[in-house]
Each structure stands twice: as C-alpha cells, then as structure tokens.
Amino acid sequence: MAPEPSVLVALASPRRREILRLVWREERTAGAIHRAMPDVTFGAVSLQLRTLEEAGLVESRGEKQFRFYRARREALGALGEMLERMWDDALWRLKLAAQLEETRRGPRPGPQRAQAQQKRPPRKK
Amino acid sequence: MAPEPSVLVALASPRRREILRLVWREERTAGAIHRAMPDVTFGAVSLQLRTLEEAGLVESRGEKQFRFYRARREALGALGEMLERMWDDALWRLKLAAQLEETRRGPRPGPQRAQAQQKRPPRKK
DNA sequence: GGTGTAATTTAGAATAAACTAAATTAATAG
DNA sequence: CTATTAATTTAGTTTATTCTAAATTACACC
C-alpha cells in the first residue's frame, strides 16, 4: 500500500496524532475526544477530525445526535505499528522520568553534558 | 524503531520529499539538487536540507567546496519502503496518463462522473 | 592578497496552517 | 413548536512554515 501524501501531512501534526491515539483502540464521540483535550475548542477538534477522515486515517458513524470516530488501523499498515511504537516509547520515557524523580533523594547533580551549539561550516574536511 | 516526530514533520512537505527522492539512490551535491529544482532558490534548498538532516533523514559529507547529501535509508525502515511505493505509484500514474493521452485520438468524451460536492450532515441515520 | 565557485545564513515577505468565537445544522425530548 | 445537546461550519485572527534576496563563509587556484 502506497500512502497518499495527505496521510503524511495528517500525521505531521501533534494534535492530530493525539486525536488518532485517542481513537486508536476504541471509538469515541467527537465530544469525548474534545473533553480529553481541554486546551482546545470543540470546533478545532472537529476540523482536525475532518482532516484525519479525509486522509483516511479515521472513519466515523453517526448514532443519535452523536458521531463516533475510530482509527482505520488496517488502512495504515506498517505506519500504524510505527505510531504504536512511538506512543509506547513516549510512555516509557515518561515512566522513566517519574522513576528518576522518585529515586532522586536530595540534590544529586549528575553528569550534565550539554550539547554545545555548533555553527556548522559548509564542509568538514 | 520508533520515529521521532521530527521525521513525520519532515516527510509532510512535498518539497522535502522531492529532495529526499533525489538523494535516495545516490548522493548529490547541494548544487545538483538545486539544479533539479529550478523553481526554487539555492537558499531554500539549503534550508530544507538542514531540516532533513536534523530529522535524520539525510546525511552529508564535505569534499572540496562541495557537500554531498544522501538519504539515510537504513534509518527509515518501513517508512522508506512506503516512500518508494509512493514514488513508484506516482511514476506509474504519470505513465498511465501519458498512455491515455496518446491513445486519445479525437475528442472522446468518456464517462465523466464528477464527484458532487457534499456538505456533510452531523449524522447519517 | 584577489577571484571564482559552492554552500550557508540572515532578515524580512509571502503563504499556509491552526485556532477561536459565533453562527448554524441535526437530532431528541418534551 | 421550543429547549437541549452534539457537532459542524464560517469568518477572521494568530501562529508557523516557506520562500526570496542579499550578505556571509569556505575552499581552491592563481
């Protein structure tokens, strides 16, 4: 399966990836999705849902006055597995950070090797 | 391998995908890349190359006053195969269109089923 | 030193994307 | 029909990206 460019565009936005993750394993209404993202308006969520649906990343069904959205995982193929790894990694990193925070009793400086800002020359040799 | 978000952002731009395709199979100098894209300035190409390199999609080496760029295919994994399919598909579509154009002797109307612009209601049922 | 070629960088302009607030549409319940 | 809830759409603003033109850096050669 060759992805349409619109898929790549859709996945480039953190907001859209967040929405996609929310409907990855279970369908949710537009409202439930919005409630999970309190920092943005309902309208904005609706627009992003449209973008995701037009890219074929989610599909929806209407029931009563609700609209349920879910990810079209099967349409994503390997790209889907990649996203899952990405989300798992992020979780893992969060956990690790929490552990570090907890283990840190008293001010332990630790090795801080700051990456020096480099102004790269047109060539190295 | 979980992709960094920066990879997804980098792949969302048609311009950057074009550059990536140019250095996919063989390395090229920044100048050669620019020559293959006459509609944009050298400076713009250089900026996009930087974005691609920071995302880890290309790497470069300097030689004389030149800088050679090449895709880091191995770093892309399944995403790389997807891009290849995408490019092949695009080629295939171009070829098909050319054939159609050639075969079309005289004005043959053909079945034109225009997609009606739909203003979707919040629900269907 | 100076000239030519290659590439990068900067500042600012043009373009595109995302968001908000308000208006609108749909359906349900009374 | 009216009120309520859910969602979408529109118009306009904000923000981010992409581009250009000009200046700058790097290297080779004379």
Side-chain angles (χ1 to χ4, degrees):
Chain A
M1 258 169 315
E4 295 285 321
S6 65
V7 169
L8 295 176
V9 172
L11 290 179
S13 149
R15 186 74 73 189
R16 281 190 296 265
R17 285 198 303 272
E18 196 183 351
I19 293 176
L20 191 60
R21 190 176 57 78
L22 285 170
V23 298
W24 194 248
R25 292 283 169 200
E26 50 183 5
E27 64 177 13
R28 290 177 192 247
T29 63
I33 294 166
H34 172 229
R35 262 170 259 126
M37 321 174 75
D39 59 324
V40 84
T41 62
F42 202 161
V45 171
S46 184
L47 290 172
Q48 298 290 31
L49 279 168
R50 192 183 247 311
T51 301
L52 282 166
E53 191 160 24
E54 278 170 1
L57 295 183
V58 305
E59 56 190 351
S60 66
R61 70 185 177 87
E63 186 187 307
K64 304 264 185 66
Q65 67 269 58
F66 304 98
R67 181 165 285 268
F68 287 85
Y69 287 88
R70 66 180 169 287
R72 293 186 60 227
R73 297 220 302 276
E74 77 292 349
L76 268 159
L79 215 30
E81 293 163 42
M82 242 174 253
L83 286 171
E84 288 183 340
R85 276 196 297 277
M86 205 170 114
W87 293 326
D88 287 351
D89 265 33
L91 260 185
W92 178 81
R93 273 194 283 267
L94 274 178
K95 271 184 207 156
L96 194 69
Q99 278 187 332
L100 275 176
E101 190 57 39
E102 195 180 323
T103 328
R104 184 159 32 179
R105 302 267 172 254
R108 192 160 48 96
Q112 45 175 317
R113 32 175 171 160
Q115 186 94 343
Q117 165 186 323
Q118 52 191 348
K119 219 182 153 158
R120 87 131 104 147
R123 77 163 220 175
K124 253 170 290 184
K125 194 185 184 184
Chain B
M1 255 169 316
E4 295 286 322
S6 65
V7 168
L8 295 176
V9 171
L11 290 179
S13 149
R15 186 74 74 189
R16 281 190 294 265
R17 285 199 302 273
E18 195 183 350
I19 292 175
L20 191 60
R21 191 178 56 78
L22 284 170
V23 299
W24 194 248
R25 291 285 169 197
E26 49 183 6
E27 62 177 12
R28 290 177 193 247
T29 64
I33 295 167
H34 171 231
R35 261 170 260 125
M37 321 174 75
D39 59 324
V40 83
T41 63
F42 202 161
V45 171
S46 185
L47 289 172
Q48 299 289 32
L49 279 169
R50 191 183 249 310
T51 301
L52 284 167
E53 192 160 24
E54 277 169 3
L57 295 183
V58 305
E59 55 189 351
S60 66
R61 69 183 177 89
E63 187 186 306
K64 302 264 185 65
Q65 68 269 57
F66 305 97
R67 180 167 285 268
F68 287 86
Y69 287 88
R70 66 181 169 285
R72 293 187 60 228
R73 298 218 302 277
E74 78 291 349
L76 269 159
L79 216 30
E81 292 163 42
M82 241 174 253
L83 286 170
E84 288 183 341
R85 277 196 297 275
M86 205 171 113
W87 292 326
D88 287 351
D89 264 31
L91 260 183
W92 179 80
R93 273 195 283 266
L94 275 178
K95 271 184 205 156
L96 193 69
Q99 279 187 332
L100 276 176
E101 189 57 39
E102 195 179 324
T103 330
R104 184 159 31 179
R105 302 269 172 251
R108 191 160 50 96
Q112 45 176 320
R113 33 175 171 159
Q115 185 94 345
Q117 164 186 323
Q118 51 191 348
K119 217 177 156 165
R120 90 130 104 141
R123 76 163 223 174
K124 255 170 287 181
K125 195 183 186 183

